[in-house]
Amino acid sequence: MKKRIKIVISLFLIMSLCTTMCYARVGGGGSSGGGSSSGGSSSSSSSSSGSHSHAQSNSNSNPIVTIFQYIMFSIVAGFSAIVFRFRLKKAKRNSKKLMDLLDDKDAMWKYKKIQKQVETAYYKIQKAWGDQDMTQAKDWIEEEYYQTLQTKIEWMKIRNQKNVLKKISLLEAIPVSVQDDPDNTKDCVWYYIRGSMIDYTIDTTTNLIVEGKNAKTIFVEYWKFVRDEEAARWKLAQILQADEKDKIVFQEEIPKK
């Protein structure tokens, strides 16, 4: 009975992880913050190993406790997800309202036009990255960030690696933060991007997969678009991962002019 419960819980956790797993797509996938989880943990782990193993053995010997802990974890995670969706919805509403106000005097802030450009940029940039040829999407990337991505591509080529992206989809593109500056060159908008794709890396000398797997995954990122006055479009200038959202000030209100 205990063994069956553990198997069910393990399978559920694995299925949950599969929806958030990310690899080396444009912007670096889930690499950010990876080192912090291992640093500084060794000293505390040795000092508390006795109590940890004792707690673990108690948990393993009592399947009811294990189920209760899992249920509580699921409730907390579900509540956090609901709170975030409300926050996301509010940020979208305020960002769109602000764009509509700015659009009255500046056509570059037209919401539908920006939305269309974000979608176009997303697909062009993903394809260019998968083809290892960022020149395909150069018109949709801010110059400095273009050079950063191009450098990453060249480094992958040196290591005989290629990131394969297939069945690319954009599930959601939601504006969450708008910055309008007297100097139009500093205007920017952050987008919550939720997409899905098959994402893995191969060794080009053997065509064997060295990271990821040939299966579709869902991911969340934040894309920063900056205004290019000369090109009359918005260009990608930065990508942050889902766990870096605290670096962005969500549009909690509409600033009074």
Side-chain angles (χ1 to χ4, degrees):
M1 179 65 180
K2 288 191 289 185
K3 187 175 182 181
R4 289 181 180 178
I5 292 173
K6 289 180 182 179
I7 292 173
V8 170
I9 292 173
S10 298
L11 287 173
F12 191 88
L13 289 173
I14 291 170
M15 290 173 65
S16 299
L17 287 172
C18 286
T19 62
T20 57
M21 198 179 296
C22 51
Y23 303 111
R25 60 181 175 271
V26 183
S31 60
S32 65
S36 61
S37 61
S38 58
S41 62
S42 57
S43 59
S44 60
S45 62
S46 59
S47 62
S48 61
S49 59
S51 60
H52 175 72
S53 59
H54 177 68
Q56 188 177 42
S57 62
N58 286 341
S59 174
N60 289 340
S61 63
N62 193 336
I64 296 177
V65 173
T66 302
I67 294 173
F68 178 76
Q69 290 174 341
Y70 175 72
I71 291 174
M72 291 304 298
F73 174 80
S74 299
I75 291 173
V76 172
F79 180 74
S80 298
I82 292 172
V83 170
F84 176 73
R85 291 304 299 189
F86 272 108
R87 186 184 178 204
L88 187 64
K89 186 176 180 179
K90 182 180 180 181
K92 176 184 179 180
R93 182 174 64 250
N94 289 335
S95 296
K96 187 177 181 300
K97 283 183 179 179
L98 182 53
M99 287 182 188
D100 290 339
L101 290 173
L102 296 172
D103 175 36
D104 292 341
K105 297 181 179 179
D106 186 348
M108 276 287 288
W109 282 106
K110 189 176 290 296
Y111 170 74
K112 288 185 178 180
K113 184 176 181 179
I114 297 176
Q115 198 76 11
K116 182 65 176 177
Q117 290 185 3
V118 168
E119 293 174 8
T120 300
Y122 173 84
Y123 285 105
K124 286 185 176 292
I125 291 169
Q126 300 287 12
K127 183 179 184 304
W129 179 266
D131 291 345
Q132 291 194 317
D133 178 17
M134 296 311 298
T135 60
Q136 297 178 24
K138 188 173 184 180
D139 292 342
W140 295 94
I141 309 173
E142 181 267 337
E143 180 60 30
E144 185 176 348
Y145 196 57
Y146 169 80
Q147 294 298 334
T148 297
L149 295 179
Q150 191 63 36
T151 299
K152 289 183 178 181
I153 289 290
E154 295 305 321
W155 181 239
M156 288 182 73
K157 289 180 179 179
I158 291 173
R159 292 182 296 168
N160 296 316
Q161 290 187 347
K162 180 180 180 181
N163 190 203
V164 178
L165 306 180
K166 299 185 294 186
K167 296 186 178 180
I168 300 167
S169 298
L170 177 59
L171 305 177
E172 287 183 295
I174 299 174
V176 296
S177 181
V178 171
Q179 177 181 323
D180 176 48
D181 196 273
D183 180 359
N184 287 340
T185 61
K186 296 180 181 179
D187 289 353
C188 72
V189 55
W190 278 98
Y191 264 79
Y192 166 92
I193 297 292
R194 190 167 75 95
S196 67
M197 65 177 69
I198 293 174
D199 174 11
Y200 59 87
T201 300
I202 63 170
D203 182 324
T204 55
T205 61
T206 63
N207 282 329
L208 295 177
I209 296 176
V210 295
E211 184 180 8
K213 60 181 180 179
N214 193 4
K216 205 165 190 178
T217 57
I218 297 174
F219 64 92
V220 168
E221 292 175 337
Y222 293 88
W223 288 31
K224 179 183 180 181
F225 288 85
V226 296
R227 176 174 179 154
D228 187 323
E229 192 78 10
E230 186 176 345
R233 70 174 50 164
W234 295 82
K235 296 184 175 183
L236 177 66
Q238 187 179 359
I239 295 178
L240 295 179
Q241 300 307 306
D243 60 359
E244 298 178 288
K245 63 178 179 294
D246 291 341
K247 296 180 181 180
I248 306 168
V249 179
F250 276 42
Q251 203 75 45
E252 299 293 343
E253 59 183 20
I254 301 175
K256 296 179 180 179
K257 297 291 184 178

